[in-house]
């Protein structure tokens, strides 16, 4: 039994999971923006709502701003880490294929 053949399914599995997680990161960011937009459209504020709850829109705006800040601060870095790990795994996988 050849020892180099055993890790290949594992590497393939890891590579597939990394690719899936990268697309999930992008999809999650898109979904979060979409949900926030839809939630704001679903409950338009009337003048009576603003009088009864003057801070009703404030918490939505605050949450939106926090999400945007987190996205701006971490998404690029996380995407770069993902790209580096995916590239390195591809190199390892290709190296294993040549042996």
């Amino acid at each position: 039994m050849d020892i180099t053949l055993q890790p290949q399914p594992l590497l393939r599995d890891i590579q597939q999971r990394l690719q899936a997680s990268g697309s999930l990161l992008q999809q999650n960011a898109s979904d979060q923006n979409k949900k926030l937009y839809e939630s704001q459209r679903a409950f338009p504020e009337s003048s009576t709502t603003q009088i009864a709850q003057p801070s009703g829109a404030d918490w939505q705006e605050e949450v939106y701003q926090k999400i945007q800040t987190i996205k701006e601060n971490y998404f690029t870095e996380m995407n770069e880490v993902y790209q580096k790990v995916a590239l390195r795994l591809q190199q390892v996988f290709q190296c294993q294929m040549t042996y």
Side-chain angles (χ1 to χ4, degrees):
M1 179 180 280
D2 189 5
I3 295 174
T4 60
L5 293 178
Q6 291 176 351
Q8 290 179 0
L10 176 62
L11 287 174
R12 240 181 269 131
D13 182 49
I14 292 171
Q15 186 177 22
Q16 289 171 348
R17 288 179 187 213
L18 278 173
Q19 289 171 347
S21 68
S23 62
L24 281 176
L25 283 175
Q26 293 172 346
Q27 184 63 36
N28 284 342
S30 175
D31 288 346
Q32 287 175 351
N33 287 338
K34 208 180 287 184
K35 286 178 183 176
L36 181 62
Y37 176 74
E38 289 172 358
S39 70
Q40 288 175 346
R41 286 188 56 201
F43 301 106
E45 293 190 28
S46 65
S47 58
T48 57
T49 305
Q50 290 176 353
I51 292 170
Q53 297 178 350
S55 64
D58 293 342
W59 74 267
Q60 288 180 346
E61 181 62 27
E62 185 179 339
V63 169
Y64 176 78
Q65 292 301 325
K66 285 182 181 182
I67 291 171
Q68 290 301 104
T69 301
I70 290 170
K71 182 180 171 185
E72 290 169 4
N73 290 337
Y74 299 107
F75 183 76
T76 303
E77 291 176 39
M78 291 300 294
N79 197 26
E80 288 174 9
V81 169
Y82 161 77
Q83 295 297 330
K84 288 177 184 178
V85 169
L87 178 64
R88 182 65 182 136
L89 281 174
Q90 281 181 335
Q91 291 170 348
V92 168
F93 179 69
Q94 289 172 352
C95 183
Q96 290 290 329
M97 293 291 286
T98 59
Y99 288 111

